[in-house]
Amino acid sequence: MTLKSRRRGAALEDAILEAAWDVLIDNGYPGFTYDAVAARAGTSRPVLSRRWPQRDDLVVAAIAAYRRRHRVDVPDTGSLREDALGLLRALNADRIQMVTVAGVQLMGFFRGAGTSMNDLRASLIGPDEPQPFEVLVARAVARGELPDVPRSAVVVNMPFDLLRHDLIMTMRVIPDEKLVAIVDEAWLPLLTR
């Protein structure tokens, strides 16, 4: 007779956070309970509440774990335009589920916690972590592709902001021609003027 080994440490935490994400997707915030997550993860409620004393702590941890599992690498092709399009395409394909969850399933969380999507984003991204489009622009300046002049964060991060806006407003993947227009018709002209 073989005994099933118990998960511990990182393996258990990974299973819980994946189960928590699935419960959030399936049930939304109102159905996001310790009991539902514990049942999906095959563990007990006390195991969850020891690690995450508040339900909202577990919500944020599940979102952070999803973000880590679906990290989007910043391309480095040697061309600012190609890097920007590659990054937008990757974000477009990968972030739709997260945007949908944040936009629809978390309204109760934001109301109850007195926070917003911006607060959640700030808690997931470290204050010193450079934004992907800031990295792209810095590389382009270092290559001599762009002049080394001051640029506002509004201009530098515009492609991501426009993509996020369209994802939230449509709740679906954005057509590629729109991504090309963001880069070619809006962003690059602003960066080079």
Side-chain angles (χ1 to χ4, degrees):
M1 177 164 129
T2 18
L3 294 175
K4 187 177 177 185
S5 65
R6 279 185 128 177
R7 294 169 298 175
R8 288 185 170 25
L12 176 59
E13 189 163 307
D14 289 347
I16 292 168
L17 293 174
E18 192 168 325
W21 177 261
D22 292 343
V23 169
L24 195 56
I25 293 289
D26 293 346
N27 303 350
Y29 184 72
F32 187 88
T33 64
Y34 282 127
D35 291 333
V37 173
R40 178 88 49 114
T43 190
S44 67
R45 179 188 171 110
V47 169
L48 273 62
S49 58
R50 274 195 304 272
R51 284 176 168 77
W52 301 280
Q54 303 296 318
R55 176 174 76 144
D56 291 352
D57 298 334
L58 182 54
V59 169
V60 172
I63 293 168
Y66 176 87
R67 186 173 179 269
R68 280 190 306 276
R69 284 192 309 270
H70 296 272
R71 183 170 274 331
V72 174
D73 293 325
V74 178
D76 191 2
T77 66
S79 160
L80 178 60
R81 179 182 186 274
E82 294 308 312
D83 288 348
L85 286 172
L87 181 56
L88 282 177
R89 287 171 177 144
L91 290 167
N92 190 32
D94 195 62
R95 292 290 190 244
I96 188 63
Q97 189 176 37
M98 182 175 260
V99 167
T100 302
V101 167
V104 176
Q105 303 289 49
L106 291 179
M107 286 306 135
F109 166 77
F110 294 130
R111 240 186 334 273
T115 63
S116 67
M117 279 194 219
N118 197 47
D119 297 328
L120 176 62
R121 185 170 186 263
S123 74
L124 297 173
I125 299 172
D128 298 328
E129 185 178 337
Q131 299 300 307
F133 284 93
E134 292 171 359
V135 172
L136 295 184
V137 168
R139 287 179 187 162
V141 168
R143 286 191 302 265
E145 195 176 353
L146 287 175
D148 189 6
V149 298
R151 292 178 175 85
S152 77
V154 170
V155 170
V156 171
N157 295 310
M158 180 187 289
F160 178 74
D161 293 338
L162 292 173
L163 173 67
R164 180 178 49 209
H165 171 270
D166 283 3
L167 288 172
I168 290 169
M169 295 306 289
T170 65
M171 295 292 180
R172 56 178 61 105
V173 172
I174 307 310
D176 195 65
E177 51 275 4
K178 177 78 180 262
L179 303 180
V180 171
I182 288 171
V183 172
D184 290 347
E185 297 172 25
W187 192 56
L188 289 177
L190 281 175
L191 286 178
T192 56
R193 71 176 175 163

